[in-house]
Amino acid sequence: MKPALKYALIALALAVAVAVPFGLEPRGYATRILCLVLLFAAMAQAWNIVGGLANQMSLGHAAFFGIGAYGSTILLVKYGISPWLGLLPGMAAGGVAAWLISLPTMRLRGHYFALATLAFGEVMRLVANTWGGLTGGPSGISVPFSKPGLAVFQFKDMRPYYFLMLAALLVVTAIFAGIRHSKLGYRLRAIRENPSAAEAIGVDTTRTKIIAAVVSGALMAGLGTFYAQFQFFFDPDTVFSIPAISVRVAMIAIVGGVGTTIGPIVGALFLIPIEELANQTFSDQAAGLSQLVFGLLLIVVILAEPRGLLEIGRRLWRWRGRT
Amino acid sequence: MTALLQISNISKRFGGLQALNDVNVSIARGEILGLIGPNGAGKTTLFSTLVGLLKPSTGSIRLEGREIAGMKPHRIASAGMVKTFQNVALFLDSSVLDNVLTGGLLRHSVSEARALARHCLAQVGLSDIADKRAGDLSFPERARVEVARALCTEPRILLLDEAMAALNHAEMDEFLALLRRLRDGGLTLVIVEHHMKAIMSICDRLLVLNFGRQIAIGTPAEIARDPAVIEAYLGRSAA
């Protein structure tokens, strides 16, 4: 694609993204779903730094997400600290957690890395459930209501949330794209494609992987705060969930196009609404039918093109050009 | 002349196998040293040990007087010694230019590394395929890309592990001319090669390994008439 066309498409997509909420009911269901689309796109993009650029299949990213959600919310509940300030220690804690889990999992590849990170996410869930004094335990934690406004990160309508989620997605995407074209991005790609060769031409593979993990974990934690302020209530089983967070963010990036800048956005635009639609359509039918339909759809997409929707789009584009 | 690389008493043991047994050699700045020996003699093991992909069981490796034995490969690359791989280890999904550029990141920013990478590709005569995907190249092309990538790290000493395999005569002559130019530019080279005519013509000295043991070192002419070398290659009756 020519650069001019690319920038035109980006500008168009942004214009549509800004315009869409004004055509929708501000407290409506559709705006709420779009907020989730943007949030999950940003989460999948944060995951993409580790899962895409470094090709390390993390299934434990809920750990960092939950740390961020709990971090800012505990500070708000116990000390009245604004979520905007609580965001920072939450992100720092997410980064530190990512650094700590990187050390023992550094040399693991493929399935072994996935299993180790999966276990780490589960450990965090158990800790949050058990350490009731800090987290409120299994009964969850609520964000105390205050007078709505940007300063307290609370709003009556969905629309401000929508724009904050959009801003978060743009920031995470800009960081991802920046990393891709930086030294770090080239080094991560080198490690992904041939770790020994990368090391032999001067890439510090350990350091490179840790930096990627820390950035990814910190961003994920920051998005945890956004989620907490959006949902007002959550418990350990929600924010540290394997299917609802860890697997879902990986799935979104993979279905969209893993390692690409717009893959996670395409993936979230596709998966989140379809999941909602399947729930709505089939929830009054047999139990679990919506999950089954959703799962089958995922299988079809991945069978059709393992590199994701973006690649299917590219193929269609080329095919259109030929006829 | 002071030694650029001083290898002293290097041994490497894998379980019961003595892959390298007391190797000693001192390589001068600007020298081209050939490393020869029958299959399994320990040539690739020696290379891997020198650049830190393997840790020597005993011994010392000094690069410009600095002990590097046991250091991680990226530290050794940064100190100025890199190697190419016998089976060619490129980043196959990346473009040729990006492969070479990654080497340049060791000492430069991305944009500087890109300019340097174009220069290195021109040196090995591959400017016209800079944008091709590395995985789509022929084997001889890949080997040359790997040399360009190693050059892009701006090494003092470059170890080439059979970089000339699968080259035809014309390509090999070109490659030997490139090696001479690099040497004239101040680079020190150690090369493993099975093509005897090529190695005899370009090397200042040859080091012969057999069963991990250093059996001879000397000029190509000396090595060609060394009884121990003839025995190792052709068997006892020939000597």
Side-chain angles (χ1 to χ4, degrees):
Chain A
M1 213 183 280
K2 287 194 187 109
L5 180 61
K6 194 168 138 188
Y7 290 124
L9 282 177
I10 291 173
L12 182 68
L14 267 177
V16 170
V18 170
V20 156
F22 294 103
L24 299 169
E25 186 63 34
R27 295 185 188 181
Y29 175 70
T31 314
R32 187 181 163 74
I33 296 304
L34 285 178
C35 287
L36 287 175
V37 166
L38 294 170
L39 178 65
F40 272 93
M43 288 156 69
Q45 192 71 281
W47 178 90
N48 209 16
I49 296 169
V50 165
L53 294 181
N55 200 24
Q56 287 181 301
M57 183 71 183
S58 163
L59 291 180
H61 261 53
F64 316 124
F65 184 71
I67 285 171
Y70 270 106
S72 65
T73 307
I74 290 168
L75 289 173
L76 176 60
V77 171
K78 301 216 161 171
Y79 307 102
I81 294 171
S82 157
W84 289 113
L85 286 177
L87 187 69
L88 301 174
M91 287 179 76
V96 169
W99 175 66
L100 288 176
I101 184 66
S102 284
L103 298 176
T105 59
M106 186 53 59
R107 302 201 176 284
L108 302 179
R109 299 232 181 114
H111 311 316
Y112 302 101
F113 182 83
L115 284 176
T117 51
L118 191 77
F120 179 62
E122 274 300 273
V123 167
M124 292 309 296
R125 189 176 67 84
L126 293 175
V127 168
N129 266 322
T130 314
W131 196 352
L134 186 70
T135 63
S139 51
I141 190 167
S142 294
V143 173
F145 283 95
S146 39
K147 197 167 171 290
L150 186 62
V152 292
F153 205 144
Q154 276 187 31
F155 309 96
K156 272 190 295 189
D157 292 353
M158 283 293 142
R159 230 176 245 165
Y161 286 111
Y162 176 93
F163 286 108
L164 285 176
M165 301 295 187
L166 181 62
L169 173 59
L170 290 178
V171 167
V172 180
T173 301
I175 291 171
F176 178 85
I179 289 176
R180 243 188 120 187
H181 295 103
S182 71
K183 276 192 176 192
L184 180 59
Y186 280 99
R187 287 178 174 151
L188 285 170
R189 241 167 294 155
I191 294 169
R192 176 178 76 189
E193 294 183 34
N194 198 320
S196 308
E199 183 76 28
I201 58 162
V203 177
D204 186 342
T205 50
T206 307
R207 196 180 126 90
T208 305
K209 282 198 242 178
I210 288 179
I211 292 173
V214 168
V215 173
S216 178
L219 290 174
M220 199 72 184
L223 295 167
T225 297
F226 276 60
Y227 177 84
Q229 293 303 120
F230 179 68
Q231 294 288 14
F232 283 98
F233 168 82
F234 58 91
D235 58 21
D237 291 354
T238 326
V239 291
F240 290 114
S241 163
I242 292 173
I245 307 293
S246 288
V247 170
R248 192 187 271 166
V249 294
M251 193 77 85
I252 287 170
I254 292 166
V255 165
V258 67
T260 64
T261 309
I262 56 170
I265 301 170
V266 172
L269 273 170
F270 176 76
L271 282 190
I272 302 290
I274 293 236
E275 207 179 349
E276 284 297 323
L277 201 69
N279 276 335
Q280 262 187 6
T281 316
F282 300 107
S283 56
D284 49 352
Q285 324 266 326
L289 188 59
S290 67
Q291 297 292 313
L292 182 70
V293 170
F294 181 64
L296 282 174
L297 206 72
L298 284 183
I299 293 172
V300 168
V301 170
I302 292 302
L303 280 181
E305 176 53 74
R307 280 173 295 179
L309 289 169
L310 211 59
E311 196 56 36
I312 294 180
R314 271 195 205 119
R315 273 209 229 154
L316 288 175
W317 179 265
R318 264 178 255 139
W319 175 77
R320 186 205 62 104
R322 234 178 285 139
T323 48
Chain B
M1 213 190 314
T2 60
L4 177 70
L5 187 69
Q6 179 76 50
I7 301 167
S8 317
N9 312 106
I10 283 293
S11 296
K12 177 70 192 175
R13 175 178 277 284
F14 297 110
L17 176 75
Q18 189 78 40
L20 290 172
N21 192 350
D22 201 26
V23 176
N24 286 278
V25 61
S26 162
I27 301 167
R29 211 174 294 271
E31 181 174 8
I32 301 183
L33 179 77
L35 184 54
I36 63 171
N39 286 330
K43 305 182 292 286
T44 296
T45 305
L46 179 58
F47 270 15
S48 297
T49 307
L50 290 179
V51 300
L53 288 167
L54 296 172
K55 283 199 196 324
S57 307
T58 60
S60 138
I61 305 165
R62 285 176 177 276
L63 181 60
E64 298 187 304
R66 180 171 162 220
E67 182 62 52
I68 58 163
M71 272 191 190
K72 284 191 157 195
H74 71 265
R75 298 275 310 280
I76 294 175
S78 165
M81 179 158 63
V82 294
K83 77 159 199 144
T84 65
F85 288 75
Q86 190 178 4
N87 308 318
V88 182
L90 292 184
F91 312 129
L92 294 178
D93 252 342
S94 301
S95 74
V96 168
L97 184 66
D98 284 354
N99 264 275
V100 180
L101 185 164
T102 307
L105 297 177
L106 180 58
R107 305 182 206 281
H108 299 283
S109 70
V110 174
S111 58
E112 287 168 356
R114 185 172 291 123
L116 182 61
R118 289 199 186 281
H119 173 72
C120 294
L121 278 173
Q123 273 189 303
V124 301
L126 291 179
S127 293
D128 48 330
I129 60 161
D131 297 324
K132 271 199 181 176
R133 190 176 155 272
D136 294 338
L137 303 182
S138 69
F139 187 83
E141 282 173 329
R142 288 186 197 191
R144 275 196 286 169
V145 172
E146 203 186 6
V147 173
R149 188 180 65 188
L151 288 174
C152 207
T153 67
E154 299 174 296
R156 310 267 164 88
I157 177 163
L158 174 58
L159 318 180
L160 297 175
D161 200 345
E162 294 191 34
M164 284 179 266
L167 293 189
N168 64 32
H169 275 292
E171 288 167 338
M172 188 172 296
D173 286 343
E174 257 175 59
F175 198 86
L176 291 174
L178 166 69
L179 295 187
R180 288 196 185 92
R181 279 201 304 279
L182 291 172
R183 191 261 305 272
D184 295 344
L187 186 64
T188 305
L189 292 158
V190 183
I191 56 183
V192 165
E193 202 49 69
H194 281 301
H195 198 284
M196 277 304 150
K197 218 169 128 189
I199 209 157
M200 288 287 184
S201 77
I202 194 157
C203 292
D204 301 310
R205 284 191 304 160
L206 296 180
L207 169 65
V208 191
L209 291 180
N210 194 22
F211 297 115
R213 196 178 285 278
Q214 166 178 347
I215 59 171
I217 184 160
T219 64
E222 288 164 4
I223 294 299
R225 54 173 186 267
D226 189 302
V229 176
I230 296 167
E231 185 189 317
Y233 271 88
L234 301 175
R236 187 170 291 276
S237 62

